[in-house]
Amino acid sequence: MKFRFPIVIIDEDFRSENTSGLGIRALAQAIEAEGFEVLGVTSYGDLSQFAQQQSRASAFVLSIDDEEFSAGPEEDAAVTNLRNFIEEVRWKNEDVPIYVYGETKTSRHLPNDILRELHGFIHMFEDTPEFVSKHIIREAKSYLEYIQPPFFKALLDYAEDGSYSWHCPGHSGGVAFLKSPIGQMYHQFYGENMLRADVCNAVEELGQLLDHNGAIGESEKNAARIFNADHCYFVTNGTSTSNKMVWHHTVAPGDVVVVDRNCHKSILHSIIMTGAIPVFLKPTRNHWGIIGPIQHSEFEPEAIKAKIRENPLLADYDADKVQPRILTLTQSTYDGVLYNTEEIKRLLDGYVENLHFDEAWLPHAAFHPFYGQYHAMGRKRGRTKHSVTYATQSVHKLLAGISQASHVLVQDSEETKLDRHLFNEAYLMHTSTSPQYSIIASCDVAAAMMEPPGGTALVEESIVEALDFRRAMRKVEEEYGNDWWFRVWGPEDFRSDGDGMGRTRDWELKKTDADGVETSGDDSWHGFGDMARGFNMLDPIKATIITPGLDIEGHFSEDGIPASIVSKYLAEHGVVVEKTGLYSFFIMFTIGITKGRWNTLLASLQQFKDGYDKNQPLWRCMPEFCEAQPRYEKMGLKDLCQHVHAMYAKYDIARLTTEIYLSDHQPRMTPSDAYAHIARRKTERVAIDDLEGRVTTSLVTPYPPGIPLLIPGEVFNGKIVEYLRFNRDFARECPGFETDIHGLVQEQGEFGETLYFADCVAES
Ligand SMILES: *Cc1c(COP(=O)(O)O)cnc(C)c1O
C-alpha cells in the first residue's frame, strides 16, 4: 500500500544558493532517491497552521543555523522557536521522529529538554546524505508501521496481498461493478480500496468479529485499554444495537428495570424485546423545550421503590425485595447535560445490578480531564463493588468513525466479572454474520486516534473552538446593544485560563449570584430549578442557540423568531444544524471541527438578522422554501416569523409541549404485551379524537424533539389528545411548520383533508 507521508524538512535556506541550502537539498534528494516523498518549507509558520499537514508527516528534519546563536546568556530566538515547534508537535504526537540538522558545534547549544525529544542530531557535512537519508527513512517507516492498530494493519496487509477470492461478497473486490456502466460509476466514486477491502469473514488472517479473536480481538482489547474499560466489543450496527446487546444480556421477561424517560428509541425497543417492566425516571424540562437532567433525589433507592409501589403493572411485586436488573441513563442528553457517574454509582451500587450509561454522544469525555467524573469510565477511578458498569458509545457521532460504528464498554465490579461467553450470546443475537469490515476498521482507527496525547489534544481543540464560538456570539450581542441577537444556552460567566480552556465548575448546573453565593431556581441560566451540587454539568461542545420570542418561564413576547425558520434559512445558505426545537436549535463541535468553521455560521446568522430586520421578501432569501410552500411567497422574512410566532403563542405551544411530557403516563399492560397485539393483528386504527383512554401498541414520537411521548401499553390521556388535535389544526393553518409525529397514521379524507389515526389495542 502506497501512502503519502512525506518527510518534512524545515530550513530557511531550503531554496537558497548558500552552503546550508546546498547541504539540505542534497539530503532531500537522497531521501527522494530512496522513493520517499519530501516536503520542504522555509519556516515553522508554513506548517504550524496546518494541522493536517503535520499529521501527514512521517518525520521532521528541523534545521538550525550556527549563525543564529549569540554569545549572550539569554536563550536565542532560534532555540525558542525550535522548542515551540517541537512542543506543538509533541502535544499531539509522542512518536513521530524529529531530527535536528546543524553543525556539530550547534548541538552543544541545544538544551536538554529539546535533545530529549529528538530521534537524532544530523551533523551537517559529517555523514553522507545517502547514509543519513537511509537512517531517517528507516525510522519513518517504522513509525508508520507502529501507528497502525491491530485490525487495520492486518487489513492493509491483506489488501496489499491482492489474492483472488472465491468467497463473498460477490463483487469480488469490486470487479463485478466494472461490468456495467452504473457499476463503473460506483467503483470510480468509492475507489478501488474501499471495494478491495470489503472482505468477508472467510478471511482467516483478519480474525472473527463474532468470536472476538485474531486481529479483531486484539483491536477490541486495544480499544478497551484506551477507553479505560475491561472489555470492549465493536458493534457494526450503531449504538441502537449496542444497547440491545446490553439489555439482552442483562434483562429477562418480567424483570423490573429503571429507565430514563427521555431515552433513545433503542432502549424502548429493548424493553419490548425483553419483556421487562419499566419504571421511569423523569427528567426536568425548561420552557424552551430543553430537556434537563433527572433530579438527584430520583436516584435514591427509596424513590425508586416508591415508583415500583405505584406502578399498576407491579402490583404483585414486593417493592422492598425487588432488585432492578438495570438502570439505563442517557449520559449526555440531546442538549448536552451530563451526570456525575460516580455519584450515581455510589447511590445505586448493589441495588441495581447493572448500571448502563448510554453515552452515544459522549465517547470523547474520557480523553480530557475537563470532564472529570462526568462520564462512565475514567482512568484511575475505582470500580463499583457489586454492580457491573456498561457504557455504549456511538463512535460515529463524535469521533472519527463511519456511520454505524459503535462499541460496548464493560467495567467489571469487584465482585462480578463479565462472563464473556454469556455476553457473546446476546452479541450474536444482534450481529450480522456478514459484518462490514470497514466499520470494524473505523472502530479500530477511531480508538487509536484517541490515545493520549493525540486524543486529549483533539478534544481540547473542540472545547476551545466551542468556547471561542460562545465568546464570539457574546461579542456580537454586546455590539448590537439593545437590539436583538441570538443567545447561546449556558452559564453567563465562564472563565478561561491562559490556553483558552474553561473551568469545569463553570459548567456545572448551579447558580452563583454576583457575590459568588450559590443560588438556584427559575432565574438560573438553565431554568431547571434546584440542582444538587456537583451532580450535573453542561458539555460546552454542544451548543443550543436560542432565538428570541419565548422567555425561560414560557412567556411569549410580542415578536418572535421560531427556530425552524432560522434553521430552514441556514440550510438554504449551506449551514445544516443538528436539531431544531421551537425557539432553539442545536450545533455540535466534534473533533472534525476546523478552526473557525463557526465563522460561517456566525455570518449566516448575521445575514438572517439583517434579512429579518429589513423584512426581506421570502422569494429572495428562502427560494427553496417558497417553492415548496408557495402560499408564503409574498411574505417577508419578518412577516413569516411573526405569522408562525403568533400561532405558537395562540396555542401556548411551549406550555403544551412541556406538559404532555410531564403529564401522567399510565401503563395498562407491559410494552411487550401491547406490542404482541401487532403480531397477532389484534389492533385497531383509532381516529385521534377518539383516543382518550385507549392503549397504544406503537411508540408515539413527536419530532422535534424526537423523544417518545408514549410507549406501547400506555394510555392516551386527555392532555395528549389535546396536543394531537392542536397539531392537526396547526398543520392546517401553518403548513410547512407542523410537528411530525412518528407513530401516527395519516390518511386522506373525503375532501382531501388529512386524517390522523393511532394504532391501539383492539377492544373487542
Ligand atoms: C443516536 C443515539 C443512539 C443510537 O445510536 P446509533 O449509533 O445511531 O444507532 C442511542 N442512544 C442515544 C442517546 C442516541 O442519541
Side-chain angles (χ1 to χ4, degrees), residues 292-469:
I294 297 159
Q295 300 271 17
H296 183 274
S297 55
E298 294 238 343
F299 292 94
E300 300 276 356
E302 281 312 314
I304 294 171
K305 284 178 194 168
K307 282 175 193 281
I308 293 173
R309 274 185 213 105
E310 281 162 22
N311 190 322
L313 302 179
L314 295 171
D316 297 339
Y317 288 61
D318 180 348
D320 290 318
K321 296 222 177 87
V322 168
Q323 191 173 20
R325 299 286 309 163
I326 195 168
L327 161 85
T328 293
L329 191 60
T330 313
Q331 170 63 345
S332 191
T333 64
Y334 299 85
D335 301 286
V337 176
L338 315 180
Y339 296 86
N340 182 335
T341 61
E342 287 303 318
E343 180 61 9
I344 287 167
K345 290 175 189 172
R346 188 187 68 77
L347 286 166
L348 296 178
D349 187 10
Y351 173 56
V352 179
E353 284 178 54
N354 301 284
L355 301 175
H356 171 209
F357 298 95
D358 181 348
E359 296 192 324
W361 292 106
L362 204 64
H364 57 290
F367 302 100
H368 205 288
F370 184 79
Y371 292 98
Q373 300 184 342
Y374 289 94
H375 61 100
M377 291 169 203
R379 209 163 264 226
K380 293 190 203 144
R381 274 162 52 183
R383 13 183 119 245
T384 38
K385 271 208 169 57
H386 312 284
S387 311
V388 177
T389 306
Y390 297 85
T392 46
Q393 300 181 329
S394 291
V395 175
H396 67 96
K397 278 184 180 163
L398 280 132
L399 306 182
I402 59 173
S403 288
Q404 301 192 18
S406 171
H407 57 215
V408 178
L409 304 173
V410 190
Q411 191 178 54
D412 299 329
S413 69
E414 282 173 17
E415 210 170 68
T416 315
K417 283 211 160 34
L418 182 83
D419 185 317
R420 295 183 56 94
H421 295 284
L422 293 181
F423 184 85
N424 213 40
E425 293 299 311
Y427 185 92
L428 294 175
M429 205 179 303
H430 294 281
T431 307
S432 165
T433 44
S434 318
Q436 172 53 256
Y437 277 44
S438 50
I439 299 178
I440 302 173
S442 99
C443 285
D444 186 30
V445 168
M449 275 176 73
M450 296 317 288
E451 178 115 58
T456 309
L458 287 172
V459 175
E460 182 152 326
E461 273 172 1
S462 55
I463 297 174
V464 169
E465 281 299 298
L467 297 186
D468 282 350
F469 168 71

Side-chain angles (χ1 to χ4, degrees), residues 650-707:
K650 176 174 138 197
Y651 288 101
D652 204 358
I653 184 176
R655 183 187 54 82
L656 202 55
T657 47
T658 306
E659 280 178 1
I660 51 166
Y661 280 99
L662 298 177
S663 70
D664 192 28
H665 300 106
Q666 277 299 323
R668 183 71 53 75
M669 58 183 77
T670 65
S672 54
D673 284 347
Y675 185 80
H677 286 73
I678 294 179
R680 297 181 183 134
R681 306 296 184 274
K682 295 266 197 282
T683 62
E684 189 183 334
R685 199 150 280 171
V686 181
I688 55 173
D689 290 306
D690 306 325
L691 276 175
E692 191 164 347
R694 299 298 298 263
V695 177
T696 178
T697 53
S698 315
L699 289 171
V700 179
T701 314
Y703 281 78
I707 306 281

